[in-house]
Every structure is written in structure tokens, then in C-alpha cells.
Amino acid sequence: MLKNQGQRTLLRTTKSIRTSTLSHKKTTFNAHRSIHVSVVVSNKARRQVDQQRNNNSQHSIGGIFEPFLETSTTTNKQTETKSKNEIIEKLPTKIKVEDVLPEDSELEMLLEKKQIALPIEKQKAVVNYILEKLKNDKPIDSKELVQISDNQVSELIELANIVIRTSRYGKPIAYELYRAMMDHGDDRGAYSFATMAYKGYGVPKDEDAGIKILSELARKGHPHAQMNLASSLMRTQPNQISAVIKLYELAGKGGIDNAFVELGRMYRIGYGVHQDHEKAMDYFQRGAQKGNAQCMFMLGVYHSSNQVGKEDQKKAFKYFQKAAMRGSPEAQYNVGFRFLKGYGVDANAFNAAEFFKMAALQGFQLAQSNLAAMYMQGHGIKQDLNEARHWYQKVVDKGGNIGKEAQKALDELDGKKSNGSRCSIM
């Protein structure tokens, strides 16, 4: 899914929505509170989507979100390469094993839950060995490291996963553990080592080494390596589009359903390929069959329009509902909106409020504002002005135009004047 949510909140209200019966600027707070409806697209895709809409006079019904058009292949600022000495300098000179590993009681619990089988004393010995080598800037011998663990190579990755999750100093330690596993032929260790090297994740950045290892793993059929390699090629070598597609296809067949999200996205917006909605829909269908919520969501988007065949609002609702039940806040918003307006399903304000609440609890600003409006009106939910204030405040805290309108709502709830004008939600 939108892999963090900061990139998916570019709000834009389409012409068809602005001229609908939900004309927000004509609806005041003292009348029925209007409900937010908007389309979300990424910065990368905005111009392409706008052009597509300009060429198509028929717009789909309101309340559709497309947050999955962003791509992990869009250019991000490169993190600065860190030298080994720079990393070591950040490790306190007196750092001890207990600063890296959790407390013994937590380690014992991990052993009981069989998340790791390596005895606690061996875990400490392994970490201590790496720490001493790093502090003295000496090479770490993978054979010695494995011998310290009593040749339990497979347990080193579990140890690496523990320290990288639980300690602020864990990245360099995990890096060396992954390296040792890679040296002993473990593909999981190789993949983790390559990923850290490629991204410079708390260790010296080495994109070339990372790509080389990922390429070797991809040839061996490692689906995660195929996925990451495809993403890297898309970013650095867009002329290798046929290889990108093949890698994503292989990753999808290998069980990485997000590969179908990427393929569908590429064909939907024409990113590196000729725009083809039928191919996009086919990939989303394949991902949906594997239970991918983003793919289900995009099928809802397609069925709500006539881009591929006739629009079918009932099918659109079903796909949005499936995605919503898998935790997608955008889908939860759309289901709530459709219950509110009776698009593809019988109108039911109570259900609308429930789905708005699901999305609101995940921090989705539009849903929070709509939920606040429903609490204010007592529409579909028992009127509760304190709850209305609570949710409007969360909208305000997120800022933007929606936040400004929510502030007007709060001012009106508190009996304050707002330049003598009544407020509506954009």
C-alpha cells in the first residue's frame, strides 16, 4: 500500500464534484453540514491524471480516491553515504552488550515463544564479538562469528532481526550478522545485507554492491529481490522497462502481491509504458485474487467509471468494501460515502458513520471531518458536540484547507465569530 501516508494526501476536488448536489460552498454549517468528497492523486501522476480528465468529458461519480498512483521508483533525495568510521563514531565508546540486546527477561520470553533458539549467553557472545571488532576497526571474520554461535547459522538472522528492531545501536550489528549469513550461503541474510547496503540503512551506502547481490538473488528466484531490483531499475534505468515488467511478474508469481499493484499502477497512468486500462485492470484483478487491498480498491475505482466497460456501482461498492475490511482507510472512507449517498448500496447513515469512524481512527483527515459533521448534526449517530469538537480538532491539527474549514466549525461551535461569514467544507 502506500508502502507511509505523507505522499497520498494531495487533495483536489473535481469539476463533477464541485457542480454536484454536494456543492460545498453553497452549504452552511447552520444547514445540513456538507460532507467532504475529493480525489487523491500523487504529485507524480497529477498532471497525467488531469490531462486524462481534460480529454474525457465523462467523469466518474464523486467520492473516489486513488492514493496508490505514487511509486517507489519516483526520485527521492539520496541519503548521504556514510563511512564506516562515521558510523562507529556514533556508537558510544563505552557501549556494552546490554545496550544492544533487550533485557534477559525479554530474551527469555523470545526463547519461550521460539522466535529464536540461540541461548542467551551465545547471543551475548556474538554481539560482544562484533562490538569489539567495530570499536577497534578490525575486520569481522564470518567463520569466527558462526563458530561463536555453535554453527547455528540460521539463528543469526533471528538475532539480527532482534537487535535491529530493539536497539538504536542495532543496525551495524545486524549488518555484520547478515553478512556472515550471506558468506555461509543463506539467501535471507544476503537479501537483508544487500538491502541495507543499497539504502545505506545505518551503514556505509554501497548501491553497486547491493544491486549486484539483488541481481544474483533475483536470478535464483528470490521474489523480494526481484521486487526491489525492478523498483531500482525503474528509478535508475527506465529504458529497461521490459526487464522491470518481467521482474514484477516473477515477484507476483512468487507470492509478492504488491508486484501486481506496481504493474497495474504503471499501466493505469502510463508510467514507462503505453497507458492501457485493460492491462491495468487485469493486474489489479490478479492482485485482488491474492487478497491485496490496494488492488481491490483500484478495481472499485474502475467499476465506478466507464474506463473499462460499463460502470457498475454495485461492483464498485463490493470491491471498496473488501478493501475496507482489510484495513484500507481510503476504502473505508469511500464505503462510508457510498452508504451516506446510496451509491451502489442502499443509503444507511448509521453504516456511513461506522466506516467514517474506521478511517478516522487511522488518521484519515476527510473521514475525520465527515465524522465530526455527523456528530454535530446527529446524523447517523447520536449527536455529541464534544465528539464533534474532538474530531474537528484532529482535522485542524493536520492543517491544509480542510483544516482551515474545520477551524471555522470549531469557532462556530464555541460561539465565536468568523468574520461574519458562515463556513462550509471545501
Side-chain angles (χ1 to χ4, degrees), residues 118 122 126 142-156 184:
L118 191 66
K122 292 296 181 182
V126 167
S142 296
K143 291 183 178 180
E144 288 184 16
L145 195 56
V146 171
Q147 289 175 354
I148 294 172
S149 71
D150 283 343
N151 297 314
Q152 298 185 63
V153 180
S154 63
E155 291 304 311
L156 293 181
H184 282 76

Side-chain angles (χ1 to χ4, degrees), residues 336-353:
F337 179 81
R338 285 165 177 268
F339 266 126
L340 188 68
K341 295 300 171 183
Y343 293 150
V345 66
D346 291 338
N348 187 316
F350 175 81
N351 286 347

Side-chain angles (χ1 to χ4, degrees), residues 359-378:
L361 288 169
Q362 294 197 64
F364 198 72
Q365 191 183 33
L366 288 175
Q368 291 174 337
S369 185
N370 290 349
L371 182 62
M374 296 184 82
Y375 270 119
M376 185 176 180
Q377 298 172 19

Side-chain angles (χ1 to χ4, degrees), residues 57-230:
S57 60
Q58 293 185 347
H59 297 280
S60 62
I61 201 165
I64 301 300
F65 281 83
E66 298 185 22
F68 307 119
L69 298 182
E70 76 271 17
T71 171
S72 57
T73 61
T74 53
T75 303
N76 296 319
K77 291 183 179 179
Q78 296 296 317
T79 54
E80 295 182 359
T81 302
K82 302 176 183 179
S83 69
K84 184 176 180 181
N85 287 334
E86 286 176 321
I87 293 170
I88 294 172
E89 287 174 3
K90 291 184 178 181
L91 290 175
T93 55
K94 295 183 180 180
I95 186 172
K96 300 178 181 179
V97 172
E98 50 265 36
D99 297 318
V100 177
L101 286 171
E103 295 181 358
D104 285 1
S105 58
E106 294 181 43
L107 293 175
E108 289 172 359
M109 184 172 63
L110 292 172
L111 284 167
E112 290 177 3
K113 292 184 176 181
K114 298 183 179 180
Q115 293 185 19
I116 188 170
L118 191 66
I120 294 177
E121 291 307 313
K122 292 296 181 182
Q123 294 180 43
K124 292 180 178 180
V126 167
V127 171
N128 184 65
Y129 171 83
I130 295 174
L131 278 176
E132 291 303 315
K133 292 293 184 179
L134 288 177
K135 288 179 183 178
N136 295 294
D137 198 20
K138 293 183 178 180
I140 295 173
D141 189 316
S142 296
K143 291 183 178 180
E144 288 184 16
L145 195 56
V146 171
Q147 289 175 354
I148 294 172
S149 71
D150 283 343
N151 297 314
Q152 298 185 63
V153 180
S154 63
E155 291 304 311
L156 293 181
I157 195 168
E158 307 303 339
L159 179 58
N161 293 340
I162 290 172
V163 299
I164 206 170
R165 287 197 310 264
T166 62
S167 173
R168 58 184 297 189
Y169 311 116
K171 295 183 183 71
I173 310 299
Y175 187 67
E176 296 301 335
L177 287 167
Y178 292 139
R179 187 205 300 271
M181 292 190 63
M182 178 179 67
D183 291 344
H184 282 76
D186 190 293
D187 287 348
R188 294 178 302 163
Y191 172 74
S192 297
F193 178 85
T195 301
M196 292 186 74
Y198 179 78
K199 295 182 177 180
Y201 186 58
V203 297
K205 187 172 184 177
D206 192 340
E207 288 190 355
D208 291 340
I211 289 296
K212 182 179 179 180
I213 297 169
L214 287 175
S215 298
E216 293 172 354
L217 291 171
R219 283 192 291 270
K220 292 171 66 175
H222 193 292
H224 289 286
Q226 291 165 343
M227 184 79 177
N228 281 11
L229 185 59

